[in-house]
């Protein structure tokens, strides 16, 4: 797990100073070392978090002079040892025991199709010396990020958006369509867009090939199919439960590959509790587990320790309760915004930031339960989808929009200034195209496919990566094992939506963890102080929205801002998000990352 950066120039030598600046900005992601390599028009940089092959042999970039290939890599390949053995059998020699070198030699053996053999999470850049070609790649579920932008006759890329802004020349104009998604599609901005017009995000399961002359092409190499299959048509509910549990068991074991100890984040919910149970089943005795809690606010409890304690006692883990008092919240919020590659409105970003700070003092790798709600239909908007006819995407869209979208296009016009309004409802159009595509049997399947391949990637997965990596902590997500995702996609949706969501997973879990945790009400990462804005948190938002830079940017109608500030906790989205926090967080992020880059002369 690391941070990578690079530049591919087309009519000049690569700007090594720019790559060095990006690498410097990525230091929190890789506190254990750094490296920069260049050859004519190509420069690659890297920050290292040592997880596999702790020796200097694992330092990146890795350059193989004999093959004429150089790589920078972020992530972990869980089956690298098996691939290494196969490659040795094909005559390849290795100078390290790292998974990165396995990807490099695999590229030499199989070309870009190497990605189809990788089990893991990854983003990489591979440069070919003789052709001048560079291939960028990203894992199937977009667990590892990769941003890029065009500047001054070159393409620059990095693991984070702020790293790109550490260099000159990136267009930081607000993208109106991305702004529409942020304000409507529950703050999700689908790839390749970002909130900035000059920065793009490589989509998940995508390879981008960039030639010496600057031409480029993208290839999507994986897509889950949400349809029933003939070989599983006669499976009983128990057979589905057994198959899913076996696949998750394999996913958890895969994610133990490391040369350092692996811990687990334990919220006390079904998903993380099941992972702890399967880790214990796999022989992980004395497993280090971690839970976080906050002070109550607005009549809402700030922790779920009573549930996480049940699991910690049941499996005798080395458990730590991390209690956060109000005094730590405000500075942590500032730190969390600094760590965000893009604006992340969810309250639990600061929870993951604080949790990661503490966990990183004890371990460098953790497994966590992100993704189960999207893969196994844990959210409240999935059951109503079953009432929409399978052959009517418009009815499915209507039901999905009513539950998930923050506001209509018309309502958005009352908040945004006219010059920042997209000319049409681009967010609804995006979901309509997604729902109309083949490869999903039912309305529920359409929603699950969208959430698995888009919402999950650009909200919770991105949030966990940014917050954990800001403290040099690697987060691994078993529920996003691509083979588990493929299996779950073929599962009849009514088995997933049963029992108020995740029914098939709940029943499978009864063989592993106590029912008290399975049958509890669904919870979320509670951060009451940000759900109920008051005191210094409200002051921070108000100051941002009244600042000179906010006025110059002019995103929001002044009367709309005044109305929200007058009743800061009254206007909520359908998913109970605070509308004032949504616009305030966007301004806070822009002032930190965009205006800050301008002030520093970058």
């Amino acid at each position: 797990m690391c941070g990578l950066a690079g530049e591919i120039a087309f009519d000049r030598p690569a700007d090594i100073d720019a790559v060095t600046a990006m690498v410097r900005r990525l230091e929190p992601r890789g506190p254990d070392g750094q490296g920069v390599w260049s050859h004519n028009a190509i420069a690659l940089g890297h920050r290292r978090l040592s997880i596999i092959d702790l020796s200097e042999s694992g330092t990146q970039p890795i350059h193989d002079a004999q093959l004429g290939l150089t790589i920078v890599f972020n992530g972990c390949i869980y089956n690298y040892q098996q691939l290494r053995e196969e490659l040795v059998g094909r005559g390849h020699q290795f100078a390290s025991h790292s998974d990165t070198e396995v990807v490099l030699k695999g590229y030499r053996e199989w070309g870009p199709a190497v990605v189809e053999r990788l089990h893991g999470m990854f983003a990489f850049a591979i440069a070919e010396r003789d052709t001048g070609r560079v291939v960028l790649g990203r894992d199937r579920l977009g667990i590892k990020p990769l941003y890029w932008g065009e500047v001054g006759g070159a393409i620059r890329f990095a693991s984070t958006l702020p790293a790109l802004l550490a260099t000159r020349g990136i267009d930081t104009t607000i993208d109106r369509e991305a702004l529409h998604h942020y304000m409507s599609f529950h703050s999700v901005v689908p790839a390749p867009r970002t909130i900035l017009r000059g920065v793009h995000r490589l989509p998940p399961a995508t390879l981008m090939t960039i030639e010496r002359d600057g031409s480029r092409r993208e290839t999507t190499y994986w897509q889950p199919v949400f349809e029933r299959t003939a070989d599983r048509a006669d499976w009983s509910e128990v057979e589905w439960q057994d198959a899913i549990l076996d696949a998750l068991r394999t996913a958890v074991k895969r994610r133990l590959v490391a040369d350092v100890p692996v811990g687990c984040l334990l919220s006390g919910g079904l998903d993380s509790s099941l992972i702890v149970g399967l880790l214990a089943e796999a022989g992980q005795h004395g497993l280090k587990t971690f839970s976080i809690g906050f002070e109550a606010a607005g009549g809402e409890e700030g922790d779920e320790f009573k549930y996480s304690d049940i699991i910690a006692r049941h499996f005798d883990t080395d458990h730590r309760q991390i209690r956060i008092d109000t005094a730590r919240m405000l500075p942590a919020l500032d730190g969390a915004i600094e760590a965000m590659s893009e604006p992340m409105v969810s309250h639990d970003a600061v929870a993951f930031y604080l949790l990661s700070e503490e966990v990183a003092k004890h371990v460098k790798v953790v497994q966590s339960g992100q993704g189960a709600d999207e893969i196994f239909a844990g959210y409240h908007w999935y059951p109503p989808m079953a009432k929409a006819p399978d052959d009517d995407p418009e009815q499915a869209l209507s039901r999905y929009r009513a539950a998930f979208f923050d506001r209509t296009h018309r309502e958005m016009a009352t908040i945004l200034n006219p010059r920042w309004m997209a000319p049409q409802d681009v967010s609804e159009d995006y979901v309509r195209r997604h729902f109309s595509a083949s490869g999903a049997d039912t309305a529920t399947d359409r929603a699950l496919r969208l959430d698995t391949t888009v919402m999950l990637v650009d909200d919770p997965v991105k949030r966990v990566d940014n917050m954990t990596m800001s403290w040099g902590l690697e987060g691994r997500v078993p529920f996003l094992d691509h083979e588990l995702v493929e299996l779950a996609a073929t599962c009849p949706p009514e088995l997933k939506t049963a029992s108020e969501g995740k029914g098939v997973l709940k029943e499978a879990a009864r063989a592993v963890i106590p029912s008290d945790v399975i049958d509890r009400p669904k919870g979320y990462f509670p951060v009451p102080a940000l759900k109920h804005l008051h005191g210094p948190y409200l002051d921070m938002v108000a100051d941002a929205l009244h600042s000179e830079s906010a006025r110059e940017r002019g995103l929001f109608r002044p009367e709309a801002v005044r109305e929200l500030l007058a009743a800061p906790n009254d206007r909520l989205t359908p998913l109970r998000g605070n509308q004032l926090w949504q616009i305030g967080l966007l301004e806070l992020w822009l002032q930190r990352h965009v205006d800050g880059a301008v002030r520093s002369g970058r």
Side-chain angles (χ1 to χ4, degrees), residues 86 279 388 397 436 448 521 568:
E86 182 178 354
L279 284 167
L397 169 62
S436 299
L448 287 167

Side-chain angles (χ1 to χ4, degrees), residues 570-585:
D570 288 357
R571 296 279 292 276
L572 302 178
T573 69
L575 293 180
R576 311 300 295 169
N578 187 304
Q579 292 195 27
L580 176 61
W581 173 243
Q582 185 182 43
I583 68 169
L585 184 278

Side-chain angles (χ1 to χ4, degrees), residues 73-91:
F73 174 88
N74 169 30
C76 184
I77 305 303
Y78 305 125
N79 64 331
Y80 82 97
Q81 292 163 321
Q82 295 89 340
L83 291 173
R84 188 180 195 273
E85 184 176 332
E86 182 178 354
L87 288 163
V88 168
R90 290 171 176 260

Side-chain angles (χ1 to χ4, degrees), residues 37 116 172 193-194 302 343:
W37 170 92
E116 297 171 10
T172 58
R193 294 185 184 277
T194 73

Side-chain angles (χ1 to χ4, degrees), residues 305-317:
F305 288 147
K306 64 181 179 181
Y307 296 112
S308 56
D309 285 350
I310 292 172
I311 296 299
R313 287 193 301 267
H314 188 84
F315 294 105
D316 194 24
T317 70

Side-chain angles (χ1 to χ4, degrees), residues 104-414:
L104 185 67
K105 299 295 174 67
Y107 181 85
R108 173 63 181 84
E109 182 66 32
W110 299 299
V114 65
V115 294
E116 297 171 10
R117 298 171 179 261
L118 303 179
H119 290 272
M121 53 183 184
F122 54 85
F124 63 75
I126 296 177
E128 301 180 4
R129 179 191 58 208
D130 297 338
T131 65
R133 178 182 299 127
V134 175
V135 177
L136 306 181
R138 195 171 176 207
D139 67 71
R140 297 169 181 84
L141 275 303
I143 302 167
K144 293 293 98 190
L146 190 55
Y147 295 86
W148 65 277
E150 296 180 83
V151 53
I155 287 177
R156 288 181 188 153
F157 56 88
S159 292
T160 71
L161 189 156
L164 287 174
L165 298 186
T167 69
R168 297 176 182 271
I170 297 291
D171 180 3
T172 58
T173 307
I174 301 294
D175 184 305
R176 289 196 301 170
E177 288 196 22
L179 179 61
H180 192 287
H181 290 316
Y182 177 86
M183 295 293 293
S184 178
F185 195 29
H186 199 54
S187 305
V188 173
V189 178
R193 294 185 184 277
T194 73
I195 199 70
L196 303 183
R197 192 164 63 193
V199 180
H200 314 282
R201 195 184 322 108
L202 189 68
T206 299
L207 294 172
M208 177 188 284
T209 303
I210 306 164
E211 303 293 351
R212 191 195 302 271
D213 63 2
S215 62
R216 62 180 185 266
R217 64 184 182 277
E218 291 189 10
T219 304
T220 300
Y221 64 86
W222 180 84
Q223 177 69 45
V225 178
F226 285 74
E227 296 174 339
R228 313 295 79 80
T229 61
D231 60 324
R232 297 166 186 162
D234 60 350
W235 278 15
S236 67
E237 292 185 23
V238 172
E239 286 174 308
W240 275 109
Q241 294 161 20
D242 291 345
I244 285 167
L245 188 59
D246 284 346
L248 182 59
R249 185 178 285 116
T250 298
V252 168
K253 288 180 179 178
R254 280 175 176 157
R255 283 153 183 79
L256 287 172
V257 172
D259 293 332
V260 296
V262 177
C264 191
L265 305 182
L266 177 57
S267 69
L270 166 69
D271 314 328
S272 62
S273 298
L274 181 52
I275 290 172
V276 170
L278 292 175
L279 284 167
E281 185 185 275
Q284 297 297 300
H285 304 300
L287 176 71
K288 294 184 183 297
T289 55
F290 307 87
S291 301
I292 192 169
F294 299 87
E295 292 183 10
E300 183 176 1
E301 291 297 319
D303 70 72
E304 295 189 327
F305 288 147
K306 64 181 179 181
Y307 296 112
S308 56
D309 285 350
I310 292 172
I311 296 299
R313 287 193 301 267
H314 188 84
F315 294 105
D316 194 24
T317 70
D318 180 5
H319 188 61
R320 288 170 173 80
Q321 286 186 356
I322 299 168
R323 298 177 180 271
I324 304 297
D325 60 37
T326 303
R328 289 186 62 185
M329 278 289 295
L330 198 61
L333 178 56
D334 192 60
I337 294 171
E338 172 70 17
M340 293 177 183
S341 276
E342 300 174 68
M344 300 177 186
V345 73
S346 177
H347 305 127
D348 66 9
V350 70
F352 274 109
Y353 180 83
L354 283 162
L355 179 59
S356 300
E357 178 184 12
E358 296 300 321
V359 172
K361 297 174 182 177
H362 303 280
V363 294
K364 296 176 78 169
V365 182
V366 288
Q367 296 196 25
S368 68
Q370 274 63 47
D373 284 313
E374 293 82 2
I375 305 304
F376 290 105
Y379 294 124
H380 70 272
W381 56 84
Y382 296 126
M385 299 299 296
K387 299 177 182 178
D390 296 339
D391 59 353
D392 189 348
E394 282 299 316
Q395 281 201 43
L397 169 62
S398 177
R399 289 181 179 276
Y400 185 88
R401 171 161 199 152
F404 191 78
F405 277 35
D406 290 336
R407 54 183 59 81
T408 66
H409 186 68
R410 179 175 296 179
E411 289 168 339
M412 196 180 307
T414 68

